Amino acid sequence: MRCSDYQGAKPPEGLDLLNGNARYQYTSKQAQEYFSWHQAVLQERIAYLLNFCSQDSGVSYEELRTFPDGLRPMWRWFLGIAEVVPLAPDAREEMMRNLMGQLAGHPKNVIADIVADMIPERVLSPKTEEILQDIAMYVGDGFTRRTPKLYWELLTKAKSEVSYNHAIINGLTPPGIIPGHTLWLEPIGLVRIQALHLIDGCAEGDDLYKMITKEWMRGT
């Protein structure tokens, strides 16, 4: 099967899942609507992902369902089906508008350098981003099933946070943390960072598994 065969989640009307800037601008009502929808479709989306991956890769549903070990065959499958495409002109224009508003008054050479760094020539395709949304649900669900003290939450406390208005996993207590405090992780950010290695050609099949088991499971 191809990436284009994957049927991604359909969010409530007016809510854009694939545009991080749009989610950042959600009203309180929209953010809660997104999170309620996210929780309602969570298991349905995970089941679809596992079935699609199993049929396409030949790895059993049961093996894929096991967390975190199922991440290894799932991520290798994902890297094989994912698509990298040129940045669309309208998306580039939107990025430029957002950056220009933030960079007003800076020297032209500084602006040129920042634009070159911040606006990529190639990006993950929309279908690839849809698969990542479901993998993020799978990862978050894996944490909560493995460790009952962990729970999904909508991050609304700090608008300065890059994960503002995103579904996060809260309750992590890694070694050395101040007693009574917890840390959180944002599944979509976690998986997307690893997927972006596809663009520069350095993605590897165990990347996501290693990051989760070595850096994040210490807090569970």
Side-chain angles (χ1 to χ4, degrees):
M1 288 187 277
R2 296 175 299 175
C3 190
S4 58
D5 295 321
Y6 196 87
Q7 299 300 310
K10 303 299 180 186
E13 186 175 354
L15 300 184
D16 185 351
L17 291 186
L18 305 185
N19 186 328
N21 289 328
R23 196 176 306 183
Y24 186 82
Q25 299 297 329
Y26 283 174
T27 64
S28 296
K29 182 179 179 180
Q30 287 176 319
Q32 191 55 58
E33 183 181 6
Y34 151 70
F35 186 67
S36 296
W37 168 83
H38 179 280
Q39 295 298 283
V41 303
L42 183 71
Q43 297 304 325
E44 172 190 327
R45 293 310 312 170
I46 292 170
Y48 178 84
L49 168 69
L50 295 177
N51 276 310
F52 191 99
C53 179
S54 178
Q55 292 173 22
D56 196 36
S57 68
V59 179
S60 73
Y61 185 102
E62 292 72 21
E63 181 178 350
L64 292 168
R65 184 60 166 153
T66 304
F67 183 85
D69 292 344
L71 275 172
R72 279 180 150 152
M74 179 183 290
W75 198 245
R76 289 171 188 148
W77 163 80
F78 168 76
L79 294 180
I81 199 173
E83 298 173 337
V84 175
V85 297
L87 179 65
D90 57 342
R92 181 179 177 82
E93 289 177 9
E94 181 181 353
M95 288 183 177
M96 285 290 291
R97 285 195 300 271
N98 291 334
L99 273 179
M100 291 303 101
Q102 300 171 34
L103 298 175
H106 286 70
K108 290 184 178 180
N109 63 317
V110 172
I111 293 176
D113 288 343
I114 293 176
V115 167
D117 288 340
M118 297 295 292
I119 300 183
E121 295 296 326
R122 301 193 304 155
V123 295
L124 302 175
S125 73
K127 277 294 182 182
T128 300
E129 296 278 10
E130 289 179 3
I131 299 174
L132 282 177
Q133 293 287 333
D134 288 348
I135 293 178
M137 289 185 175
Y138 164 83
V139 167
D141 181 68
F143 273 100
T144 60
R145 284 190 300 109
R146 187 176 185 275
T147 309
K149 72 175 183 179
L150 303 181
Y151 56 94
W152 286 99
E153 185 176 54
L154 179 67
L155 184 65
T156 58
K157 295 178 182 177
K159 196 169 184 178
S160 59
E161 288 282 359
V162 69
S163 301
Y164 181 72
N165 280 343
H166 283 62
I168 62 170
I169 298 297
N170 208 343
L172 293 161
T173 53
I177 193 170
I178 299 173
H181 289 67
T182 59
L183 293 179
W184 52 264
L185 68 85
E186 181 205 342
I188 185 58
L190 190 69
V191 301
R192 195 167 186 277
I193 286 172
Q194 297 304 313
L196 290 175
H197 291 314
L198 278 163
I199 295 174
D200 53 26
C202 63
E204 295 185 5
D206 282 347
D207 284 348
L208 185 58
Y209 174 83
K210 288 179 179 178
M211 171 177 277
I212 286 175
T213 56
K214 292 182 178 180
E215 298 184 23
W216 287 103
M217 296 195 98
R218 295 168 64 239
T220 61

